[in-house]
Amino acid sequence: MTAAQRALLDAAGRRIAAARPELARRHDLTTMEGLLAARADIASEEDTEAVLATVVVHHLDLPEWIRSACAYAFALEAGAAAAWRASFTRTVFLAGTPAHLRTRFSFAHIAADGSAAWTAPAPAGAPSSLRRLLKLFDGAAPFTGGADTAVRLPRAPGGPDRPGTDRELYLAVAGRTVSDALVDLHHVLAESVLDGVIRPGDRLMLRQVPRLTGELPRLAALRVVPETSGRLRATAGLSKEALLV
């Protein structure tokens, strides 16, 4: 195994151990076999024990998506946040228009521009009229990337006026679709908020790169996915504190 693959394996194992310590006790997450076994355990319980959030997506505007995803996670009640974190911030993305649905469904957060709306985390097996009504969001087009963009996260209403932290938010775009980008960013942002890495008022510099390679040692959070080849790939990550220019 190469040094880069070992680093990705370690990051994937840490993510599982942070959310579900019992899986780290059950499986050796320092090996690919143990990682895959843990992932199989997670997949087997998704329909009965998992907690998930549902997001209605009208269109994807990355800066607003970043602000809104963080604002949603900032505002979650502690119990709901803990249950969702233990389910690895599992989320279902549906295609729809939040403005047409807000009088019929209860949303925990709606993006300022109406591009997306989030429901509170709920048991995956619970009946959902929203999921029955709408189709899955189909963002199958290739994600083409864009210029670096600075995003200031909302401050907590009535919270302390603390200086925000600057961080870099990386998104690997080569061979990824719009849906991939949406999912990758959402996991990194939500988990970073719930783990206390991202806080209200922070500034994130979104950097879209073909692949995440040399940046790995500087990252405080990382999303790793398996490829069909059996190798691991880093798809999104959040840096440690950084001086942004």
Side-chain angles (χ1 to χ4, degrees):
M1 180 179 290
T2 66
Q5 284 292 296
R6 167 56 61 185
L8 295 181
L9 177 61
D10 290 346
R14 289 194 299 271
R15 178 178 183 248
I16 291 176
R20 298 283 298 278
E22 77 280 8
L23 291 177
R25 294 190 292 269
R26 191 185 310 164
H27 303 289
D28 182 0
L29 299 179
T30 66
T31 68
M32 184 64 78
E33 293 77 11
L35 179 69
L36 294 176
R39 288 174 62 90
D41 283 0
I42 295 166
S44 69
E45 67 188 24
E46 281 187 345
D47 291 336
T48 57
E49 301 178 39
V51 169
L52 62 82
T54 301
V55 186
V56 177
V57 182
H58 180 259
H59 63 274
L60 182 60
D61 175 84
L62 280 183
E64 185 56 39
W65 177 259
I66 291 167
R67 280 188 291 268
S68 295
C70 291
Y72 166 74
F74 288 147
L76 286 177
E77 182 271 329
W84 191 41
R85 183 68 181 88
S87 292
F88 302 96
T89 59
R90 184 184 176 195
T91 306
V92 173
F93 301 96
L94 306 175
T97 306
H100 297 166
L101 299 166
R102 61 191 309 167
T103 60
R104 298 173 55 190
F105 298 95
S106 177
F107 291 111
H109 181 77
I110 300 176
D113 64 353
S115 58
W118 284 252
T119 67
S128 170
S129 55
L130 186 61
R131 296 202 298 270
R132 289 195 298 269
L133 175 66
L134 302 177
K135 295 180 179 180
L136 291 175
F137 177 78
D138 180 19
F143 190 82
T144 56
D148 291 352
T149 306
V151 181
R152 174 70 71 180
L153 301 183
R155 295 189 179 277
D161 187 16
R162 51 171 289 274
T165 297
D166 288 341
R167 297 183 187 274
E168 293 166 299
L169 177 64
Y170 287 96
L171 178 64
V173 302
R176 307 295 283 170
T177 67
V178 172
S179 287
D180 291 333
L182 179 150
V183 172
D184 293 338
L185 281 176
H186 199 260
H187 277 300
V188 166
L189 292 169
E191 292 174 13
S192 295
V193 168
L194 299 183
D195 291 346
V197 178
I198 292 177
R199 297 187 294 171
D202 284 354
R203 185 170 70 123
L204 307 181
M205 179 65 78
L206 175 64
R207 301 196 190 279
Q208 300 172 61
V209 297
R211 291 183 177 273
L212 272 169
T213 52
E215 298 87 357
L216 296 181
R218 300 192 294 106
L219 299 181
L222 181 65
R223 174 162 168 78
V224 178
V225 301
E227 296 187 298
T228 55
S229 64
R231 292 169 60 82
L232 298 171
R233 178 178 178 182
T235 59
L238 180 75
S239 78
K240 301 169 185 176
E241 293 187 21
L243 177 62
L244 302 184
V245 295

